[in-house]
Amino acid sequence: MGWRKKPSSSMTTTQLIRLVVLTVALLGAAAPRRAAALNPRMLFLVKPDPIVLRDHGGALLTGNNLTVNLLFYGRFTPAQRGIVADFVRSLSDSAAPRLPPSVASWWRTTSLYRGGGARVRLGRQILVDERLSSSSLGRPLSLGNVTALARAAGHHRGAVTAVLTAADVPVASFCVSRCGGHGHDRGGAHGRARYTYLWAGNPAQQCPGQCAWPFHGPTYGPQTPPLVPPNGDVGVDGMVISLAALLAGTVTNPYGDGYYQGDAAGAGLEAATACAGIFGSGAYPGYPGKLLTDPATGVSYNAVGLGGRKYLLPALWDPTTSQCKTLV
């Protein structure tokens, strides 16, 4: 299919960063072709009508070996990177804790969609120091820059590159209209091969009330006390919610012609955005639902992952019941 080969595993970190910066500088100005982007993860101030996602018949990401590569753009601490990496690892059944609710059981809802879902594994973790590439990319990053970062990091069929931006890195439309987005582009020798990517930002400094709820007071709507984040990091725990929603949207609507309701150009509802603001049973606008609480730390969560690490994950639309499915 002419997919671009991944950089050699012998490439040093410095060489890889230089490759990313050079490629982004060459490609960042080009306008990419994007499929449906993720809507903002927002609270519904009015209870919506029942959601039914239509299957538009396009290709989904399925199979036993979907690789998720993580590209950290900007300054992330090792602890922050560990929270995200452990979440991706936890999507696999082999990493699931013995007792539910688990991150893997949350992910299994995507297997109810046509094609039976995808088995996920963690791929490469790429660290890009923004200071080395700021002269090429500038601020804020454009969505074209995000696409170019994903492309430069290496892509192939059966892989998704997640571009994650640090708390102090502005991205065009971040907070204004979205907490992240996913899309697709073409690569390979003849530009005919499709690949998928996503972007999620750390909202701690720029918009915690919009993209880190319920770990921060909401910008709009009913004001309720914020919950204690399960990993002690309002921004990264909020970013994981967006990352989880984006991954679910990517596999069930990778090229803009899978499962969605509404506008195919980017405003449609997908597997997780159809259930915005719902994390547990009994949720209603301004209330995330009944969740689990650790009696020792007071953190709120609804899923357990690798090594007992806790997460709060959004409800997913269940195509067998046409309802939003929660873990607790």
Side-chain angles (χ1 to χ4, degrees):
M1 294 294 290
W3 290 88
R4 177 182 293 178
K5 295 181 180 179
K6 295 189 296 183
S8 169
S9 59
S10 63
M11 181 177 292
T12 66
T13 300
T14 300
Q15 289 173 324
L16 180 57
I17 289 175
R18 288 174 179 170
L19 173 63
V20 169
V21 172
L22 176 61
T23 308
V24 169
L26 293 174
L27 301 176
R33 296 182 60 189
R34 270 184 290 276
L38 178 72
N39 281 346
R41 181 172 47 80
M42 58 187 176
L43 307 181
F44 283 116
L45 301 183
V46 178
K47 186 175 179 60
D49 293 331
I51 298 295
V52 176
L53 302 187
R54 177 185 168 192
D55 181 2
H56 292 77
L60 309 185
L61 300 186
T62 60
N64 293 323
N65 192 21
L66 178 66
T67 300
V68 176
N69 300 313
L70 302 177
L71 189 153
F72 295 95
Y73 184 84
R75 287 169 287 184
F76 286 86
T77 68
Q80 290 175 324
R81 298 197 302 269
I83 293 170
V84 178
D86 283 350
F87 164 69
V88 175
R89 292 189 183 99
S90 300
L91 294 169
S92 168
D93 284 318
S94 62
R98 293 184 178 181
L99 298 176
S102 69
V103 174
S105 61
W106 172 84
W107 183 250
R108 278 197 292 274
T109 298
T110 63
S111 69
L112 302 176
Y113 289 68
R114 173 172 49 84
R119 184 178 178 86
V120 173
R121 72 178 185 88
L122 177 64
R124 307 176 67 197
Q125 297 185 61
I126 304 165
L127 313 181
V128 178
D129 189 335
E130 184 200 8
R131 293 169 297 178
L132 298 180
S133 53
S134 59
S135 60
S136 299
L137 300 187
R139 281 176 170 242
L141 295 183
S142 69
L143 295 181
N145 292 148
V146 170
T147 304
L149 280 167
R151 187 185 310 172
H155 58 272
H156 60 86
R157 179 163 49 184
V160 178
T161 294
V163 177
L164 306 173
T165 50
D168 63 341
V169 176
V171 179
S173 75
F174 183 39
C175 300
V176 176
S177 63
R178 68 189 69 196
C179 301
H182 76 87
H184 68 280
D185 203 352
R186 293 188 177 272
H190 304 288
R192 291 196 293 257
R194 295 188 296 185
Y195 69 94
T196 58
Y197 64 93
L198 64 87
W199 153 69
N202 182 329
Q205 296 180 22
Q206 300 178 56
C207 54
Q210 294 170 261
C211 298
W213 184 85
F215 305 129
H216 189 280
T219 303
Y220 308 105
Q223 299 295 310
T224 54
L227 305 179
V228 180
N231 293 285
D233 191 314
V234 170
V236 173
D237 277 310
M239 186 170 66
V240 166
I241 295 175
S242 295
L243 173 60
L246 288 159
L247 281 173
T250 297
V251 299
T252 58
N253 187 31
Y255 307 116
D257 54 4
Y259 284 84
Y260 68 90
Q261 180 196 75
D263 183 5
L269 298 178
E270 298 180 327
T273 52
C275 304
I278 300 175
F279 297 91
S281 60
Y284 55 81
Y287 172 59
K290 185 179 180 180
L291 304 174
L292 300 175
T293 303
D294 187 315
T297 62
V299 305
S300 295
Y301 66 100
N302 63 4
V304 180
L306 188 70
R309 195 189 286 275
K310 299 174 176 64
Y311 296 95
L312 185 65
L313 304 178
L316 294 179
W317 187 79
D318 184 338
T320 66
T321 63
S322 295
Q323 300 290 325
C324 291
K325 184 177 181 180
T326 61
L327 288 173
V328 296

PDB file of all heavy atoms in Angstrom, residues 74-91:
ATOM      1  N   GLY A  74       6.179  19.201  24.147  1.00  0.00           N
ATOM      2  CA  GLY A  74       6.317  20.129  25.257  1.00  0.00           C
ATOM      3  C   GLY A  74       6.817  19.422  26.499  1.00  0.00           C
ATOM      4  O   GLY A  74       7.286  18.284  26.457  1.00  0.00           O
ATOM      5  N   ARG A  75       6.681  20.101  27.621  1.00  0.00           N
ATOM      6  CA  ARG A  75       7.250  19.594  28.869  1.00  0.00           C
ATOM      7  C   ARG A  75       6.241  18.749  29.646  1.00  0.00           C
ATOM      8  O   ARG A  75       5.270  19.266  30.187  1.00  0.00           O
ATOM      9  CB  ARG A  75       7.743  20.765  29.722  1.00  0.00           C
ATOM     10  CG  ARG A  75       9.014  21.407  29.174  1.00  0.00           C
ATOM     11  CD  ARG A  75       9.327  22.707  29.879  1.00  0.00           C
ATOM     12  NE  ARG A  75       8.403  23.758  29.461  1.00  0.00           N
ATOM     13  CZ  ARG A  75       8.489  25.020  29.870  1.00  0.00           C
ATOM     14  NH1 ARG A  75       9.429  25.383  30.718  1.00  0.00           N
ATOM     15  NH2 ARG A  75       7.625  25.917  29.445  1.00  0.00           N
ATOM     16  N   PHE A  76       6.487  17.459  29.683  1.00  0.00           N
ATOM     17  CA  PHE A  76       5.729  16.506  30.486  1.00  0.00           C
ATOM     18  C   PHE A  76       6.690  15.862  31.474  1.00  0.00           C
ATOM     19  O   PHE A  76       7.792  15.456  31.106  1.00  0.00           O
ATOM     20  CB  PHE A  76       5.109  15.412  29.617  1.00  0.00           C
ATOM     21  CG  PHE A  76       3.921  15.842  28.805  1.00  0.00           C
ATOM     22  CD1 PHE A  76       4.081  16.432  27.562  1.00  0.00           C
ATOM     23  CD2 PHE A  76       2.632  15.634  29.276  1.00  0.00           C
ATOM     24  CE1 PHE A  76       2.990  16.820  26.797  1.00  0.00           C
ATOM     25  CE2 PHE A  76       1.532  16.014  28.535  1.00  0.00           C
ATOM     26  CZ  PHE A  76       1.706  16.607  27.287  1.00  0.00           C
ATOM     27  N   THR A  77       6.280  15.717  32.711  1.00  0.00           N
ATOM     28  CA  THR A  77       7.113  15.021  33.683  1.00  0.00           C
ATOM     29  C   THR A  77       7.042  13.525  33.436  1.00  0.00           C
ATOM     30  O   THR A  77       6.082  13.031  32.816  1.00  0.00           O
ATOM     31  CB  THR A  77       6.650  15.332  35.115  1.00  0.00           C
ATOM     32  OG1 THR A  77       5.353  14.728  35.325  1.00  0.00           O
ATOM     33  CG2 THR A  77       6.582  16.833  35.365  1.00  0.00           C
ATOM     34  N   PRO A  78       8.020  12.765  33.917  1.00  0.00           N
ATOM     35  CA  PRO A  78       7.936  11.307  33.798  1.00  0.00           C
ATOM     36  C   PRO A  78       6.648  10.749  34.416  1.00  0.00           C
ATOM     37  O   PRO A  78       6.059   9.804  33.883  1.00  0.00           O
ATOM     38  CB  PRO A  78       9.176  10.829  34.546  1.00  0.00           C
ATOM     39  CG  PRO A  78      10.158  11.949  34.402  1.00  0.00           C
ATOM     40  CD  PRO A  78       9.324  13.200  34.484  1.00  0.00           C
ATOM     41  N   ALA A  79       6.197  11.334  35.534  1.00  0.00           N
ATOM     42  CA  ALA A  79       4.972  10.862  36.168  1.00  0.00           C
ATOM     43  C   ALA A  79       3.764  11.091  35.266  1.00  0.00           C
ATOM     44  O   ALA A  79       2.882  10.226  35.153  1.00  0.00           O
ATOM     45  CB  ALA A  79       4.768  11.572  37.510  1.00  0.00           C
ATOM     46  N   GLN A  80       3.714  12.227  34.601  1.00  0.00           N
ATOM     47  CA  GLN A  80       2.603  12.509  33.693  1.00  0.00           C
ATOM     48  C   GLN A  80       2.599  11.561  32.505  1.00  0.00           C
ATOM     49  O   GLN A  80       1.546  11.043  32.102  1.00  0.00           O
ATOM     50  CB  GLN A  80       2.674  13.965  33.220  1.00  0.00           C
ATOM     51  CG  GLN A  80       2.363  14.974  34.308  1.00  0.00           C
ATOM     52  CD  GLN A  80       2.553  16.405  33.860  1.00  0.00           C
ATOM     53  OE1 GLN A  80       3.465  16.716  33.072  1.00  0.00           O
ATOM     54  NE2 GLN A  80       1.714  17.307  34.340  1.00  0.00           N
ATOM     55  N   ARG A  81       3.790  11.319  31.952  1.00  0.00           N
ATOM     56  CA  ARG A  81       3.867  10.381  30.825  1.00  0.00           C
ATOM     57  C   ARG A  81       3.453   8.980  31.265  1.00  0.00           C
ATOM     58  O   ARG A  81       2.818   8.234  30.503  1.00  0.00           O
ATOM     59  CB  ARG A  81       5.280  10.368  30.243  1.00  0.00           C
ATOM     60  CG  ARG A  81       5.717  11.721  29.668  1.00  0.00           C
ATOM     61  CD  ARG A  81       6.920  11.571  28.756  1.00  0.00           C
ATOM     62  NE  ARG A  81       8.063  10.963  29.406  1.00  0.00           N
ATOM     63  CZ  ARG A  81       9.035  11.616  30.038  1.00  0.00           C
ATOM     64  NH1 ARG A  81       8.981  12.950  30.114  1.00  0.00           N
ATOM     65  NH2 ARG A  81      10.052  10.987  30.588  1.00  0.00           N
ATOM     66  N   GLY A  82       3.796   8.619  32.496  1.00  0.00           N
ATOM     67  CA  GLY A  82       3.440   7.303  33.010  1.00  0.00           C
ATOM     68  C   GLY A  82       1.939   7.118  33.143  1.00  0.00           C
ATOM     69  O   GLY A  82       1.416   6.030  32.869  1.00  0.00           O
ATOM     70  N   ILE A  83       1.226   8.162  33.560  1.00  0.00           N
ATOM     71  CA  ILE A  83      -0.234   8.082  33.682  1.00  0.00           C
ATOM     72  C   ILE A  83      -0.849   7.742  32.328  1.00  0.00           C
ATOM     73  O   ILE A  83      -1.711   6.866  32.218  1.00  0.00           O
ATOM     74  CB  ILE A  83      -0.800   9.416  34.209  1.00  0.00           C
ATOM     75  CG1 ILE A  83      -0.364   9.656  35.652  1.00  0.00           C
ATOM     76  CG2 ILE A  83      -2.328   9.427  34.117  1.00  0.00           C
ATOM     77  CD1 ILE A  83      -0.673  11.062  36.158  1.00  0.00           C
ATOM     78  N   VAL A  84      -0.398   8.445  31.293  1.00  0.00           N
ATOM     79  CA  VAL A  84      -0.954   8.245  29.956  1.00  0.00           C
ATOM     80  C   VAL A  84      -0.554   6.880  29.393  1.00  0.00           C
ATOM     81  O   VAL A  84      -1.388   6.141  28.846  1.00  0.00           O
ATOM     82  CB  VAL A  84      -0.501   9.370  29.011  1.00  0.00           C
ATOM     83  CG1 VAL A  84      -1.043   9.137  27.605  1.00  0.00           C
ATOM     84  CG2 VAL A  84      -0.958  10.725  29.541  1.00  0.00           C
ATOM     85  N   ALA A  85       0.723   6.537  29.497  1.00  0.00           N
ATOM     86  CA  ALA A  85       1.195   5.265  28.945  1.00  0.00           C
ATOM     87  C   ALA A  85       0.512   4.084  29.621  1.00  0.00           C
ATOM     88  O   ALA A  85       0.131   3.107  28.953  1.00  0.00           O
ATOM     89  CB  ALA A  85       2.712   5.162  29.090  1.00  0.00           C
ATOM     90  N   ASP A  86       0.340   4.143  30.929  1.00  0.00           N
ATOM     91  CA  ASP A  86      -0.323   3.049  31.634  1.00  0.00           C
ATOM     92  C   ASP A  86      -1.783   2.927  31.224  1.00  0.00           C
ATOM     93  O   ASP A  86      -2.336   1.824  31.190  1.00  0.00           O
ATOM     94  CB  ASP A  86      -0.214   3.247  33.146  1.00  0.00           C
ATOM     95  CG  ASP A  86       1.150   2.882  33.685  1.00  0.00           C
ATOM     96  OD1 ASP A  86       1.956   2.305  32.927  1.00  0.00           O
ATOM     97  OD2 ASP A  86       1.427   3.172  34.864  1.00  0.00           O
ATOM     98  N   PHE A  87      -2.425   4.056  30.913  1.00  0.00           N
ATOM     99  CA  PHE A  87      -3.798   3.978  30.418  1.00  0.00           C
ATOM    100  C   PHE A  87      -3.861   3.193  29.118  1.00  0.00           C
ATOM    101  O   PHE A  87      -4.704   2.305  28.948  1.00  0.00           O
ATOM    102  CB  PHE A  87      -4.382   5.376  30.215  1.00  0.00           C
ATOM    103  CG  PHE A  87      -5.625   5.383  29.370  1.00  0.00           C
ATOM    104  CD1 PHE A  87      -6.804   4.833  29.860  1.00  0.00           C
ATOM    105  CD2 PHE A  87      -5.609   5.889  28.088  1.00  0.00           C
ATOM    106  CE1 PHE A  87      -7.959   4.795  29.068  1.00  0.00           C
ATOM    107  CE2 PHE A  87      -6.741   5.869  27.291  1.00  0.00           C
ATOM    108  CZ  PHE A  87      -7.921   5.313  27.790  1.00  0.00           C
ATOM    109  N   VAL A  88      -2.975   3.508  28.177  1.00  0.00           N
ATOM    110  CA  VAL A  88      -2.993   2.806  26.885  1.00  0.00           C
ATOM    111  C   VAL A  88      -2.684   1.325  27.088  1.00  0.00           C
ATOM    112  O   VAL A  88      -3.327   0.453  26.486  1.00  0.00           O
ATOM    113  CB  VAL A  88      -2.008   3.460  25.903  1.00  0.00           C
ATOM    114  CG1 VAL A  88      -1.940   2.664  24.600  1.00  0.00           C
ATOM    115  CG2 VAL A  88      -2.418   4.901  25.618  1.00  0.00           C
ATOM    116  N   ARG A  89      -1.687   1.025  27.927  1.00  0.00           N
ATOM    117  CA  ARG A  89      -1.382  -0.380  28.204  1.00  0.00           C
ATOM    118  C   ARG A  89      -2.584  -1.096  28.805  1.00  0.00           C
ATOM    119  O   ARG A  89      -2.823  -2.282  28.527  1.00  0.00           O
ATOM    120  CB  ARG A  89      -0.197  -0.483  29.165  1.00  0.00           C
ATOM    121  CG  ARG A  89       1.147  -0.045  28.609  1.00  0.00           C
ATOM    122  CD  ARG A  89       2.263  -0.403  29.570  1.00  0.00           C
ATOM    123  NE  ARG A  89       3.562   0.059  29.124  1.00  0.00           N
ATOM    124  CZ  ARG A  89       4.148   1.171  29.571  1.00  0.00           C
ATOM    125  NH1 ARG A  89       3.542   1.927  30.483  1.00  0.00           N
ATOM    126  NH2 ARG A  89       5.328   1.531  29.115  1.00  0.00           N
ATOM    127  N   SER A  90      -3.347  -0.405  29.622  1.00  0.00           N
ATOM    128  CA  SER A  90      -4.465  -1.015  30.334  1.00  0.00           C
ATOM    129  C   SER A  90      -5.638  -1.358  29.421  1.00  0.00           C
ATOM    130  O   SER A  90      -6.544  -2.096  29.821  1.00  0.00           O
ATOM    131  CB  SER A  90      -4.948  -0.081  31.444  1.00  0.00           C
ATOM    132  OG  SER A  90      -3.928   0.173  32.381  1.00  0.00           O
ATOM    133  N   LEU A  91      -5.648  -0.829  28.200  1.00  0.00           N
ATOM    134  CA  LEU A  91      -6.724  -1.151  27.268  1.00  0.00           C
ATOM    135  C   LEU A  91      -6.702  -2.605  26.851  1.00  0.00           C
ATOM    136  O   LEU A  91      -7.713  -3.149  26.397  1.00  0.00           O
ATOM    137  CB  LEU A  91      -6.628  -0.258  26.031  1.00  0.00           C
ATOM    138  CG  LEU A  91      -6.866   1.244  26.257  1.00  0.00           C
ATOM    139  CD1 LEU A  91      -6.472   2.027  25.015  1.00  0.00           C
ATOM    140  CD2 LEU A  91      -8.316   1.509  26.618  1.00  0.00           C
TER     141      LEU A  91
END
